[in-house]
């Protein structure tokens, strides 16, 4: 496992790429359509390639054990997050169009962009395997309950299972179970395309932040409910996984699950808000404030976990 110093150094590299995305968007090098293009490029091409490359490994009993631990932690934290979000929504004095946005911001983190970047920093390809497995339940939930939360309509199961992230994960798991590996040429191509996910994701985050004007930033700072949401999303929810530290879960799995559970709110919530007529500005502010705060909270979580691990 990387030392705290190496982890912080790598995080600063990620933040530097995010700042570059911010600058090139502000300077007009990336136009107003760039965010949509980058999102589709990552979700449809580079991230599926990264997942397939990472899962092109030999079958082992240890990976199956890791799979069971990661799925258990994922289901546990998602259920608790849903209950917490419901409770916080009921207590919040928000407008009708903000209620479901508030719940979605608490439950769903940015596990597909920053999550993969952080996991790769920690354990490289092995970290991608961990997160791919951990994200299985998350992907199903965000494309079922996430859509239902905003639309109150029938869930499109075809759309869910043909989603590139889920599709590539299932194909990757089949490859893992088969006693064969991909040809070297295919594997090398997937690696080259897949590893673009990390810098592209951080440039996208920087570009998204650049789109928010200073007036909106001031509004987010004034809104106490956004701060409560941010504390829950970035700190309280990941610490709900600490009981697993006392039941012999491998530390590499636990730290991946905790850090990923403390990701900022998912930009997907803004897209759902826009599509189904909820408060898009409120959603954007929630994503913005948590994305800015995660610069501090992700390294903080890592340092706290290392201290706990050393002492216990």
């Amino acid at each position: 496992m990387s030392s705290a110093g190496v982890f912080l150094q790598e995080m600063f590299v990620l933040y530097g790429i995010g700042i570059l995305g911010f600058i090139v968007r502000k300077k007009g090098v990336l136009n107003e359509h760039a965010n949509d293009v980058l999102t589709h490029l990552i979700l449809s091409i580079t991230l599926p390639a990264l997942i397939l490359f990472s899962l092109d490994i030999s079958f082992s009993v240890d990976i199956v054990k890791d799979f069971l631990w990661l799925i258990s932690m994922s289901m546990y934290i998602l259920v608790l997050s849903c209950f917490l979000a419901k409770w916080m929504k009921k207590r919040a004095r928000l407008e009708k169009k903000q209620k479901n946005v508030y719940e979605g911001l608490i439950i769903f983190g940015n596990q597909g962009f920053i999550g993969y970047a952080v996991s790769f920093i920690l354990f490289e390809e092995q970290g991608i395997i961990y997160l791919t497995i951990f994200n299985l339940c998350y992907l199903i939930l965000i494309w079922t309950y996430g859509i239902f939360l905003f639309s109150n309509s029938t869930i499109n199961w075809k759309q869910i299972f043909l989603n590139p992230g889920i599709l590539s994960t299932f194909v990757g798991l089949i490859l893992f179970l088969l006693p064969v590996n991909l040809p070297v040429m295919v594997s090398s191509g997937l690696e080259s395309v897949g590893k673009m996910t990390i810098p592209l994701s951080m440039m996208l985050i920087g570009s998204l932040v650049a789109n928010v004007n200073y007036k909106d930033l001031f509004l987010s700072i004034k809104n106490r409910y956004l701060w409560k949401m941010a504390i829950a999303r970035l700190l309280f929810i990941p610490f709900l996984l600490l009981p697993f530290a006392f039941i012999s879960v491998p530390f590499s799995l636990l730290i991946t699950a905790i850090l990923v559970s403390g990701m900022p709110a998912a930009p997907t919530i803004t897209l759902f808000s826009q599509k189904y007529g909820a408060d898009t500005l409120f959603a954007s502010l929630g994503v913005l404030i948590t994305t800015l705060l995660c610069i501090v909270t992700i390294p903080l979580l890592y340092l706290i976990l290392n201290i706990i691990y050393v002492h216990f």
Side-chain angles (χ1 to χ4, degrees):
M1 184 182 68
S2 302
S3 67
V6 172
F7 177 77
L8 291 173
Q9 181 178 334
E10 292 295 330
M11 285 300 296
F12 283 129
V13 172
L14 285 186
Y15 297 150
I17 298 172
I19 291 169
L20 175 63
F22 178 89
I23 293 171
V24 295
R25 177 68 188 93
K26 283 292 188 183
K27 294 293 184 180
V29 177
L30 297 179
N31 62 28
E32 65 273 15
H33 303 296
N35 293 343
D36 290 336
V37 173
L38 285 174
T39 299
H40 287 298
L41 179 64
I42 293 167
L43 292 181
S44 301
I45 299 175
T46 68
L47 182 54
L50 183 62
I51 291 170
L52 289 172
F53 167 73
S54 300
L55 289 174
D56 183 30
I57 55 175
S58 299
F59 178 86
S60 71
V61 175
D62 288 336
I63 291 290
V64 174
K65 290 179 180 177
D66 292 346
F67 180 92
L68 294 175
W69 276 123
L70 289 163
I71 289 293
S72 298
M73 288 190 287
S74 178
M75 293 176 66
Y76 165 85
I77 201 62
L78 286 172
V79 169
L80 290 186
S81 298
C82 288
F83 279 114
L84 175 65
K86 284 284 187 186
W87 180 76
M88 290 180 67
K89 182 174 76 169
K90 286 181 180 179
R91 293 174 60 88
R93 295 179 180 178
L94 294 168
E95 298 175 9
K96 185 178 179 181
K97 286 190 174 184
Q98 295 177 338
K99 286 274 188 178
N100 289 342
V101 174
Y102 192 61
E103 182 179 350
L105 290 170
I106 295 168
I107 297 172
F108 300 110
N110 192 346
Q111 297 178 200
F113 295 142
I114 302 180
Y116 276 99
V118 172
S119 297
F120 189 80
I121 282 177
L122 286 172
F123 306 110
E124 297 185 340
E125 284 81 8
Q126 191 70 30
I128 301 301
I129 295 171
Y130 292 157
L131 184 53
T132 298
I133 296 169
F134 187 76
N135 270 352
L136 270 174
C137 297
Y138 170 88
L139 286 171
I140 293 171
L141 189 68
I142 196 170
W143 290 106
T144 53
Y145 184 67
I147 292 175
F148 179 77
L149 191 63
F150 288 89
S151 66
N152 291 314
S153 62
T154 305
I155 295 168
N156 187 337
W157 292 101
K158 183 178 179 181
Q159 181 185 27
I160 293 164
F161 288 105
L162 292 181
N163 175 278
I166 292 181
L167 197 59
S168 59
T169 298
F170 281 120
V171 171
L173 289 173
I174 292 170
L175 287 173
F176 166 67
L177 293 171
L178 292 174
V180 293
N181 293 102
L182 292 171
V184 174
M185 186 183 302
V186 175
S187 180
S188 298
L190 289 172
E191 181 182 13
S192 298
V193 174
K195 286 186 176 179
M196 290 192 287
T197 302
I198 311 304
L200 286 177
S201 295
M202 296 312 299
M203 288 195 72
L204 174 60
I205 296 300
S207 181
L208 287 170
V209 172
N211 278 354
V212 179
N213 61 48
Y214 296 111
K215 180 181 176 182
D216 291 341
L217 179 59
F218 182 70
L219 286 174
S220 67
I221 292 173
K222 287 173 57 178
N223 192 312
R224 62 192 176 103
Y225 290 113
L226 288 177
W227 283 98
K228 289 180 179 180
M229 176 277 300
I231 292 170
R233 168 103 292 281
L234 298 173
L235 294 174
F236 186 76
I237 287 174
F239 280 127
L240 290 174
L241 281 162
L242 281 180
F244 283 89
F246 303 100
I247 53 175
S248 302
V249 176
F251 188 69
S252 58
L253 305 184
L254 181 62
I255 197 168
T256 300
I258 289 178
L259 289 180
V260 170
S261 296
M263 290 295 110
T268 310
I269 301 303
T270 303
L271 300 178
F272 286 167
S273 300
Q274 186 171 3
K275 184 174 181 178
Y276 296 108
D279 192 327
T280 305
L281 176 60
F282 186 73
S284 299
L285 294 177
V287 173
L288 171 65
I289 195 170
T290 52
T291 301
L292 293 176
L293 289 174
C294 83
I295 295 172
V296 175
T297 59
I298 293 175
L300 179 63
L301 281 173
Y302 184 85
L303 292 173
I304 291 172
L305 289 170
N306 272 274
I307 293 170
I308 292 173
Y309 182 69
V310 168
H311 285 84
F312 295 97

